[in-house]
Amino acid sequence: QVQLVEPGGGSVQAGGSLRLSCTASGHAYSINCMGWFRQAPGKERESVAYIYSGNGPTYYVDSVKGRFTISQDKATNTVYLQMNSLKPEDTAMYYCAADSAWICSGYSPSGYNYWGQGTQVTVSS
């Protein structure tokens, strides 16, 4: 089994920055890729970014390109999401997720088999 722990998010003004982290424990060696998702009230969960284990290729949704950066520290089994130039529309509950499948599920949340508890990010105008 794999457990994912996410420290708290936060509340910032538009244009500010936040850094999220997610640490995996248990059978973390089996993880193929990790991703960040977000969900606002009344909206479906959407992919923000994901990365292949071992600091492999990274992918971003168009709305965050140039503003967000995903990275991984393999030694501590921790994935980060650096968020700059935050906008009110970035307000959501953010979740980290891990996938141990042979083929990474990528942007599809239904394919990930391990999830963090979620952390709230609020951006005020």
Side-chain angles (χ1 to χ4, degrees), residues 102-113:
W102 284 72
I103 300 176
C104 179
S105 297
Y107 63 85
S108 177
S110 62
Y112 288 77
N113 51 347

Side-chain angles (χ1 to χ4, degrees), residues 30-33 98-103 111 113-114:
S30 67
I31 296 174
N32 185 30
C33 64
D99 190 357
S100 59
W102 284 72
I103 300 176
N113 51 347
Y114 303 104

